[in-house]
Amino acid sequence: MDLKRVYLFREGNATMRDLLGGKGANLAEMSNIGLPVPPGFTITTETCNEYYATGKKLPAGLMDSARAAMKDVESQMGRSFGGATKPLLVSVRSGAKFSMPGMMDTVLNLGLNATTVKALIEETGNKRFVYDSYRRLIMMLSDVAFDLSKHEFDNEIFATYKQKVGAKTDLDLNADQMEEISQLFLAHVRERTGHEFPSDPFEQMAVAIEAVFKSWNNDRAIVYRRTEKIPDEIGTAVNIQAMVFGNAGDDCGTGVAFTRDPSTGEKLIYGEYLMNAQGEDVVAGVRTPVPITELEKQNPKVFAAFMDTANKLEKHYRDMQDLEFTIEHDKLFMLQCRSGKRTGPAAVRIAVEMVAEGLIKKEEALQRVTGSHLDQLLHPRIDPSSLGKAKQLAKGLAASPGSAVGQVVFDADTADLAKHGKLSPNGSVAIGKKVILVRDETNPDDVHGMLASQAVLTARGGKTSHAAVVARGFGIPCVAGAETLSVNVHDRKFSVDGQVIKEGDVITVDGSTGAVYLGELPLIEPEVSGAFGELMAWADSYRTMKVRANADNPRDARQAVEFGAEGIGLCRTEHMFFEAERLPLVQEMILTKDEKVRQNMLDKLQVVQQQDFEGIFEAMDGRPVTVRLIDPPLHEFLPSFEQLVRETTEIQTRIHMGQKDLEKELEAKMKLLGEVESMKEQNPMLGMRGVRLSIILPGLVIMQTRAILQAAAALIKKKQKVYPEIMIPLVSTVNELRVVQNQLEAEAQKIVKEQGVEIPYMFGTMIELPRAALTAGEIAEYAQFFSFGTNDLTQTTFGYSRDDAEGKFLQRYVEQKILSRNPFETIDVAGVGRLMRIAVEEGRAARNGLKCGICGEHGGDPESIDFCQQINLDYVSCSPFRVPIARLAAAQAALRSKVAVTLDK
Ligand code: ADP
Ligand code: MG
Ligand code: MG
């Protein structure tokens, strides 16, 4: 049998999106449920792929099939394509599986030529309408097929003509003027292309079909697919459909509508229409469209028919619909329906209300809301209606979600002063309480300033730069790596594209998109409505994995609990060392050669660490807390080598010029420089850190273990439950774990004895090196739990340094499809995922019921969470602000795995 390339609408249905595209499948479905849809047919997406596979040629036989289908349409309409009486006109419309609004091409009014124009004028007696349709055909087909921009027709010829005759809009033009414009358009085609505009209707059709296929690969469409993660190889279908006319008089019109408000989710009809207009006039801004509710007054009968159809469609598809319709002489026709795009708040409200209305089940409601929908709900966002007029200054990486407005400041101290309502130190500008910290990049010295700011903006650094990681941890919006910014801290200004922004000037930052705007844009506060709470409760009732949060301080811990966290999956202890009063103690502890001095410093640190842990345990109120022992290389706590070199050189110069009193200072600095130099590493990421550090310098982790367990004991004595899980990082062989864990276990037992209370502690390890995953069976003999550190595990499995990769080649890799996606955002299932699966299976084989979780950033990524469900992890852990997203994603993963199980049977 011949390959079937063409489906009449009555041969298709809504499930055939792959083959017929979304538009084609829904046109078929609407026809079949008896709605008023002009007849037509769909050329399959496979035909588009065939077109590209055979070197961009319309497959032989395609036009024969199209002619045969047209016979059917002609007889349904009682008209003939190209006929000298009762001519039939059609539209040729693109339509891929996923909607790509405005990305591909559509041509209306095909079939018009000298003969049919005449016939149609005779038939309708409406010459203006016929030439209005003709000029649109010439413009649209030439635009898509002959590379003549629509704007040349619309903005130049048409606009000039309107001006000449004094017409404000197209409505002011009469029949003869429309005819003249059509002639001008035809002449323009002749002049620019050297050939006549095609008059044969089937030639017009073939040209239009090919243009739609080509539009699949225009630049706009390619970029759109990349951002929306739509595959390139699925192709577009082409829909050919009898025309109905919204431009045939004042009892005609065209419009678009949503069955619910797409920005709030409220149940009301929402849309716009224009009388005596065609196609995209409503959205193109040629005239100001009228709210759909006006139609009720203007034409109650049509409005009632429309509402009836809208309700039918919403019930039929059981989702909010986005509709396109046309009115021809008071009769309604449906031209498109699809699930409407909606904001986060609308998605949640619609899903929950549809359950209440009995339209969908809870399971479905959960599947309809995405992580990015919730993300919008949990952070302030820029009022979308203000973006049109906003002036974008720069675009960086969307490093931490949410939007903020504030005055620019250039250093952490100024930010901190501003928070307390004080003037900037140089007093030159008045700074209010809301500031945005702008820096080349941030470092640990800036943390207090970041905390005092509404948002952080950096000119350099990736999504894992210090600024990004810290901002995400604190839930502060951050745009990182806005490379067009040139920051001048000394003169307290930054410039971008020749524009200068001074300290105190106001900017708006959108950490969800990476955009930076000049001035203050209105923000919409997050609305954690009743619907949100309801949806989250449903999510919790379906999910099987637990959700924990990564939190390093009591504030974050409380936030996490508020968002529904069931424990802490990662508490990083080193952040606590960076605080201003502690850093000198840490530095001295690292630098001293004297064991007594070191112990003294450790004792002092222990007191403050114990307070930290008491705060966190208290905030977590009986939920388990995984505390990771010190992980980064020690030189991160010392001044940088480069800075010390600069400083010593400067002092030397000044001594040389006679400032002899500086010699003592030089000596001290030189000593420090020598020590820092001796600790310098070629590859700190692979160097002296994690468990390796604990083996060389055991005092530090012994101190931390004491701080953790004494804090636990203190709370237990106050009758609070505490479940500390002490985690040893960066283990690659069981022997490392054995040495350190034995030592710490001995200490732990000592503490339990001293305190005289039972402490339900555990020791476990992070699985973040390939060797650890591959020898998980051995490791599990010691470790009582595993936590996958997928950031490091991804780095070491690929052999990429994340910052270097994201800054240099990763994007190219994704564009060239060497990698299907950034493995630091979504777990690489084939490689990293395989290691995780092995580790879980072999770990649990060695230790029954071994608790396994994930604490890398992937723990907040819905697709990665789905994988975690597949390998039976006990929990995922993510930043506090992603906890609701993880709860939802875990429910979705559980539902999917349940479906998979029932299907298997
Ligand atoms: P897009 O995918 O960009 O929305 P469409 O194929 O939906 O493009 O076409 C845009 C508009 O053109 C439709 O909303 C409708 O108003 C008009 N249109 C398309 N086909 C017809 C038709 N057969 N009769 C009347 N109007 C049509
Ligand atoms: Mg459309
Ligand atoms: Mg790590």
Side-chain angles (χ1 to χ4, degrees):
M1 207 187 87
D2 273 356
L3 179 62
K4 187 167 168 64
R5 298 193 182 93
V6 168
Y7 286 74
L8 290 163
F9 288 167
R10 66 170 172 274
E11 296 174 310
N13 65 58
T15 66
M16 295 168 73
R17 300 170 58 96
D18 285 323
L19 192 62
L20 303 181
K23 197 184 286 170
N26 284 338
L27 282 168
E29 184 83 9
M30 284 197 291
S31 316
N32 292 337
I33 60 175
L35 294 179
V37 177
F41 58 92
T42 303
I43 300 171
T44 63
T45 55
E46 284 171 358
T47 313
C48 177
N49 291 336
E50 216 182 320
Y51 170 79
Y52 280 105
T54 54
K56 299 202 197 170
K57 279 202 193 65
L58 290 185
L62 172 64
M63 288 313 289
D64 293 336
S65 311
R67 277 172 200 269
M70 276 302 283
K71 282 261 167 311
D72 191 284
V73 177
E74 284 175 326
S75 79
Q76 288 188 63
M77 294 292 287
R79 314 182 70 90
S80 82
F81 195 46
T85 54
K86 294 200 93 184
L88 173 66
L89 304 191
V90 297
S91 61
V92 173
R93 318 172 61 187
S94 59
K97 176 174 182 186
F98 303 105
S99 108
M100 298 169 55
M103 292 302 125
M104 292 188 300
D105 295 322
T106 283
V107 183
L108 305 180
N109 309 327
L110 276 99
L112 281 175
N113 58 23
T115 312
T116 53
V117 161
K118 185 158 163 279
L120 212 55
I121 294 175
E122 269 165 23
E123 180 189 333
T124 61
N126 189 344
K127 178 174 165 188
R128 185 191 177 282
F129 146 68
V130 177
Y131 278 108
D132 181 48
S133 304
Y134 197 28
R135 59 115 185 162
R136 290 172 190 267
L137 167 68
I138 302 164
M139 174 179 82
M140 285 191 240
L141 191 63
S142 304
D143 179 69
V144 305
F146 309 141
D147 235 10
L148 294 183
S149 161
K150 221 183 261 187
H151 300 290
E152 295 173 29
F153 292 96
D154 234 359
N155 299 1
E156 288 162 29
I157 306 172
F158 195 51
T160 314
Y161 188 92
K162 273 192 294 192
Q163 209 176 14
K164 196 183 83 187
V165 302
K168 272 208 211 74
T169 76
D170 53 331
L171 286 186
D172 302 327
L173 296 171
N174 64 31
D176 291 340
Q177 289 169 324
M178 281 292 181
E179 180 179 6
E180 212 179 319
I181 286 161
S182 303
Q183 298 307 334
L184 289 174
F185 279 13
L186 287 173
H188 181 65
V189 175
R190 200 176 303 124
E191 200 174 294
R192 292 291 308 276
T193 64
H195 61 69
E196 289 293 328
F197 184 81
S199 59
D200 177 60
F202 277 104
E203 187 188 338
Q204 291 176 356
M205 185 187 286
V207 166
I209 293 170
E210 186 163 2
V212 171
F213 285 160
K214 281 199 179 129
S215 71
W216 178 250
N217 275 335
N218 69 30
D219 294 343
R220 275 179 301 169
I222 291 174
V223 170
Y224 185 84
R225 284 200 293 276
R226 193 166 300 143
T227 48
E228 296 291 310
K229 302 207 170 96
I230 297 174
D232 287 329
E233 53 284 342
I234 58 176
T236 180
V238 182
N239 302 289
I240 295 178
Q241 186 176 27
M243 285 300 300
V244 286
F245 298 101
N247 58 336
D250 291 334
D251 54 354
C252 304
T254 177
V256 295
F258 291 84
T259 55
R260 309 204 177 199
D261 183 334
S263 56
T264 65
E266 192 179 348
K267 190 173 180 188
L268 47 78
I269 193 81
Y270 180 97
E272 292 173 331
Y273 73 106
L274 273 178
M275 292 314 267
N276 205 358
Q278 189 175 48
E280 308 277 67
D281 287 2
V282 178
V283 280
V286 295
R287 276 182 262 146
T288 310
V290 186
I292 186 90
T293 40
E294 285 293 306
L295 187 61
E296 186 165 18
K297 291 174 218 154
Q298 202 165 20
N299 196 330
K301 260 221 200 96
V302 174
F303 183 76
F306 176 71
M307 285 308 292
D308 186 48
T309 303
N311 287 333
K312 236 187 224 152
L313 280 169
E314 202 185 81
K315 286 224 170 67
H316 184 73
Y317 284 99
R318 300 178 309 123
D319 196 5
M320 183 256 265
Q321 295 295 300
D322 173 351
L323 306 171
E324 296 177 9
F325 63 92
T326 281
I327 303 162
E328 184 183 272
H329 302 307
D330 291 341
K331 182 166 165 26
L332 173 76
F333 290 93
M334 297 308 295
L335 290 170
Q336 192 171 343
C337 74
R338 63 184 160 206
S339 283
K341 292 217 160 61
R342 61 206 77 181
T343 64
V348 172
R349 179 166 174 181
I350 291 171
V352 170
E353 289 188 356
M354 284 193 166
V355 172
E357 291 162 25
L359 268 184
I360 57 174
K361 295 215 192 71
K362 288 178 190 169
E363 287 93 327
E364 272 177 294
L366 287 167
Q367 305 282 9
R368 294 229 178 130
V369 178
T370 66
S372 44
H373 283 145
L374 288 189
D375 218 11
Q376 284 181 32
L377 232 73
L378 299 169
H379 297 279
R381 62 200 167 95
I382 298 173
D383 183 346
S385 67
S386 71
L387 284 177
K389 284 190 224 113
K391 176 163 171 19
Q392 185 167 322
L393 277 178
K395 181 107 193 213
L397 299 168
S400 177
S403 298
V405 177
Q407 286 174 282
V408 171
V409 296
F410 291 98
D411 67 273
D413 290 336
T414 307
D416 200 36
L417 285 172
K419 178 181 170 184
H420 300 103
K422 298 190 183 128
L423 286 184
S424 75
N426 61 3
S428 61
V429 267
I431 306 271
K433 291 191 174 183
K434 293 196 166 175
V435 296
I436 292 178
L437 181 63
V438 180
R439 302 204 44 92
D440 261 333
E441 51 199 343
T442 62
N443 62 48
D445 295 337
D446 295 324
V447 170
H448 63 294
M450 296 173 77
L451 266 175
S453 301
Q454 305 297 311
V456 179
L457 168 61
T458 67
R460 288 206 298 270
K463 283 193 177 179
T464 39
S465 59
H466 178 268
V469 173
V470 173
R472 280 197 294 273
F474 289 139
I476 300 169
C478 174
V479 172
E483 284 172 354
T484 51
L485 251 61
S486 134
V487 181
N488 185 336
V489 178
H490 184 265
D491 294 339
R492 314 202 78 75
K493 63 181 191 189
F494 75 80
S495 53
V496 54
D497 293 336
Q499 181 154 13
V500 177
I501 312 296
K502 296 191 296 297
E503 189 153 73
D505 289 353
V506 174
I507 61 172
T508 303
V509 163
D510 186 345
S512 308
T513 63
V516 182
Y517 301 94
L518 184 64
E520 173 172 356
L521 298 185
L523 300 184
I524 300 176
E525 284 305 311
E527 36 187 316
V528 181
S529 64
F532 171 80
E534 204 158 340
L535 190 81
M536 282 294 111
W538 299 343
D540 292 344
S541 73
Y542 284 101
R543 70 187 158 87
T544 54
M545 281 191 296
K546 297 229 180 287
V547 175
R548 296 192 187 187
N550 299 350
D552 307 336
N553 55 55
R555 190 189 87 138
D556 287 0
R558 274 191 295 274
Q559 180 70 263
V561 170
E562 223 169 88
F563 280 140
E566 296 162 293
I568 289 181
L570 177 64
C571 172
R572 282 163 295 208
T573 47
E574 53 271 10
H575 286 184
M576 303 167 177
F577 290 168
F578 282 119
E579 280 174 32
E581 328 81 74
R582 304 183 188 181
L583 200 54
L585 300 178
V586 177
Q587 293 180 339
E588 186 154 3
M589 186 271 301
I590 295 170
L591 292 172
T592 186
K593 297 266 166 349
D594 184 336
E595 272 310 316
K596 270 223 203 79
V597 176
R598 172 166 301 144
Q599 195 52 51
N600 189 10
M601 294 303 126
L602 283 172
D603 290 345
K604 283 189 180 153
L605 282 170
Q606 186 189 310
V607 176
V608 282
Q609 279 251 284
Q610 183 173 332
Q611 287 164 2
D612 294 333
F613 293 130
E614 283 182 29
I616 288 172
F617 292 151
E618 201 170 309
M620 294 311 291
D621 196 19
R623 299 170 181 86
V625 177
T626 304
V627 183
R628 179 179 71 183
L629 300 177
I630 186 132
D631 184 48
L634 290 184
H635 63 68
E636 284 196 7
F637 301 100
L638 301 177
S640 88
F641 178 74
E642 287 74 17
Q643 189 185 342
L644 286 170
V645 169
R646 267 198 306 275
E647 284 173 14
T648 46
T649 319
E650 200 183 307
I651 299 174
Q652 275 165 334
T653 319
R654 282 158 64 190
I655 292 174
H656 204 71
M657 292 177 22
Q659 277 185 273
K660 293 287 176 230
D661 53 325
L662 289 176
E663 255 161 17
K664 264 239 161 61
E665 195 183 331
L666 178 64
E667 199 181 316
K669 275 264 151 80
M670 290 299 282
K671 185 158 166 270
L672 183 58
L673 179 63
E675 280 154 347
V676 169
E677 185 174 18
S678 75
M679 298 183 75
K680 220 172 154 210
E681 293 179 304
Q682 295 300 325
N683 276 311
M685 184 189 90
L686 301 174
M688 254 277 278
R689 52 174 283 219
V691 70
R692 303 160 198 170
L693 198 61
S694 310
I695 288 175
I696 308 298
L697 201 89
L700 190 49
V701 283
I702 290 176
M703 175 280 279
Q704 290 193 310
T705 303
R706 258 198 181 270
I708 295 165
L709 295 183
Q710 289 186 8
L715 289 185
I716 291 169
K717 285 175 195 168
K718 287 196 246 166
K719 299 270 170 291
Q720 202 185 308
K721 290 206 163 69
V722 186
Y723 298 97
E725 303 170 344
I726 301 173
M727 179 156 75
I728 297 163
L730 219 72
V731 164
S732 61
T733 147
V734 65
N735 291 337
E736 290 169 316
L737 187 63
R738 178 175 50 80
V739 169
V740 173
Q741 192 173 322
N742 281 344
Q743 209 165 15
L744 298 182
E745 181 65 56
E747 188 73 14
Q749 283 172 18
K750 244 196 282 175
I751 298 164
V752 169
K753 246 203 220 108
E754 285 164 21
Q755 298 291 329
V757 288
E758 279 298 316
I759 310 173
Y761 65 86
M762 282 204 267
F763 282 103
T765 187
M766 208 143 158
I767 303 287
E768 54 186 331
L769 294 173
R771 194 182 186 286
L774 292 170
T775 58
E778 293 173 6
I779 289 177
E781 295 191 9
Y782 284 87
Q784 294 169 283
F785 65 87
F786 282 175
S787 175
F788 289 99
T790 45
N791 294 358
D792 270 320
L793 190 58
T794 301
Q795 296 203 86
T796 51
T797 300
F798 279 89
Y800 296 163
S801 137
R802 177 170 179 177
D803 277 347
D804 295 318
E806 288 190 331
K808 301 241 154 51
F809 58 84
L810 213 51
Q811 201 184 338
R812 276 281 273 290
Y813 267 37
V814 173
E815 276 162 21
Q816 294 185 14
K817 301 192 183 146
I818 293 169
L819 291 175
S820 65
R821 54 192 38 204
N822 179 348
F824 293 103
E825 285 173 6
T826 300
I827 285 176
D828 155 53
V829 169
V832 175
R834 177 136 190 252
L835 287 169
M836 292 170 72
R837 196 186 286 276
I838 291 171
V840 173
E841 285 170 9
E842 298 189 0
R844 286 195 180 140
R847 179 185 290 268
N848 220 338
L850 176 78
K851 183 150 48 162
C852 296
I854 178 174
C855 64
E857 275 188 71
H858 299 98
D861 167 60
E863 256 183 76
S864 307
I865 291 172
D866 193 71
F867 176 72
C868 293
Q869 173 89 30
Q870 289 171 37
I871 60 170
N872 292 316
L873 292 196
D874 296 294
Y875 69 85
V876 298
S877 187
C878 57
S879 92
F881 293 90
R882 289 196 75 82
V883 165
I885 294 168
R887 286 160 69 197
L888 173 67
Q892 291 171 341
L895 286 168
R896 262 193 294 275
S897 71
K898 216 166 92 189
V899 172
V901 169
T902 36
L903 285 185
D904 278 350
K905 281 180 194 160

